[in-house]
Every structure is written in C-alpha cells, then in structure tokens.
Amino acid sequence: MRKNIVAGNWKMNTTLQEGVALAEEVNAAVKAAEHNCDVVICVPFTHLATISEKICKDSLGLGAENCADHKSGAYTGEVSAAMVASTGAGYVILGHSERRQYYGETSETLREKVALAFENNLTPIFCIGEVLEERENGTYFDVVKKQIVDALFHLSAEDFGKIILAYEPVWAIGTGKTATADQAEDMHAFIRGVIAEKYGKEVADNTSILYGGSCKPSNAKELFAKPDVDGGLIGGAALKCADFMGIVEAFN
Ligand code: 13P
C-alpha cells in the first residue's frame, strides 16, 4: 500500500551553513517525533553532500530540487542525476511549476530527467498542477491529466510505480491561498483514476500523491485526512523546523 510522505522543498533558500543547521534540527526532531509518514527534505545542490553526511537517512530522506536532462558533458552550470545520487541523496523533485514557468521545462525534457533519475536510483517527486486561469476556466482536470500523460505514460507499470506525484495548484504556491481539502481530494481522486485507467487499480492504489501549496500546520491535518491525499510537498513552512514538524505530526 502507498506511503504517507511529507517532503520539504527548500527552493533557493538558506546558505550552506544555515541549511546544515536546519537539516540537523529537522533530523533530531523527526527522530523524536511521533509520526506515521516518511519525511524527506529537498535542498539546494550545494548543500546535498554536506547534509548527506550529517543526517540519518533511515529517518530523514534527502533529495535535490531538480537535475539535468542530459547524462554528462558540455552543459555548463547543470547538475546531473548521477552527481545528485553520488552525494547520497535518494530523491529528486522534477517538473516543479517554478521550473516549468521560469526555466521553460517541458514534458519532453521531463521525460529525459525521469529516465536519468531512474538510471541513478533516484525517486522522482514529480509535480503537476494548473495555473489560476485554468482553475477559473474549468480546464484544470484536462491540464493535469495532460501533464501526467505527456511526461509519464510512456513508462512501464514497474517504473511508474516508483514515482511520487505532487499535485501543486500554482495559484496556491507561496500565496497563502490553500486549495480546500475538498478541492485537493477532487483532484487527487481524479489523478488516481487517470493512473488506474492506464496502469490498473493496484498501481493507482500504490501511488503516493502529495498536495503542495501553502500547506501549514493549521491545515495539514484536514488535507491529509482526505483518502487520496497521501501527504504534502512543503515550501515556505519547510524552512522552519517547528512548522515543518507541525505538518509531519499531522500524521500520527
Ligand atoms: P509553499 O508551501 O511555500 O506554498 O510552496 C509549495 C511548493 O511549491 C512546494 O514545492
């Protein structure tokens, strides 16, 4: 059966020193806390190797926020999936809306990134979600289905089964405007149906689908109580240990 997961996405925040201190604080808090979920932090590339040495990965997973769409070579400034894996990280966020919006990521490049993540035994946390206009004009189910179909439905059932999905409505990211628990559940149930149509009910039931977008201690419990919401991908609230733990402890 699918896992409950709370994953932090630190985005472009913290210096190395601040990041190491935060990771150590979170690691200690996770070990001490009662919770019934996997916990992961996804941090800037520059922090991975150092944090990897400082945390106990049995209790706290470590991931990158992106990886390159090429294996290696003349791609100045890029960081490959193999480089990420060589730090000891086990996860990589792919297709975050900020990468799609500001760095032109397409389903085509994301297919390459997913393949390279698998080659290097990284678990993709694959993000999907509609923008405000699509929410308002009612096309949001079609938009999210297309993102999944175009980037992931070439995969075998075995490979698809290794993906963690994160539904992040773009209008809820960093805005303080959370999707209601019912809005999240409607979309998560829809996504599970789309997966079931393609890969069957067992694969669909085993896929963890996280919610992301202004998730905080005060709304996490209600969101996570929904049957198809299997946890959260947390931005701003992942930068303060107490807030992040408030969300982790929503699973207890
Ligand atoms: P916030 O939690 O800051 O809204 O960010 C969500 C997000 O983008 C996580 O990937």
Side-chain angles (χ1 to χ4, degrees), residues 14 121 205 231:
T14 74
N121 295 316
D205 283 345

Side-chain angles (χ1 to χ4, degrees), residues 9 11 96 98 168 172-175 212-215 233-237:
N9 172 11
K11 307 192 179 183
H96 192 280
E98 288 149 15
E168 301 203 306
I173 296 178
T175 57
S214 300
C215 186
L233 184 57
I234 317 302

Side-chain angles (χ1 to χ4, degrees), residues 6 10 28 41 68 74 91 103 114 128 139-140 151 156 172-173 183 192 207 210 219 222 225 241-242 248:
V6 172
W10 290 6
I41 50 173
Y91 298 82
Y103 301 97
V114 168
I128 51 198
T139 57
Y140 49 98
S156 66
I173 296 178
Q183 283 173 322
R192 208 176 298 287
T207 303
L210 316 185
N219 58 26
E222 193 189 347
C241 183
V248 168

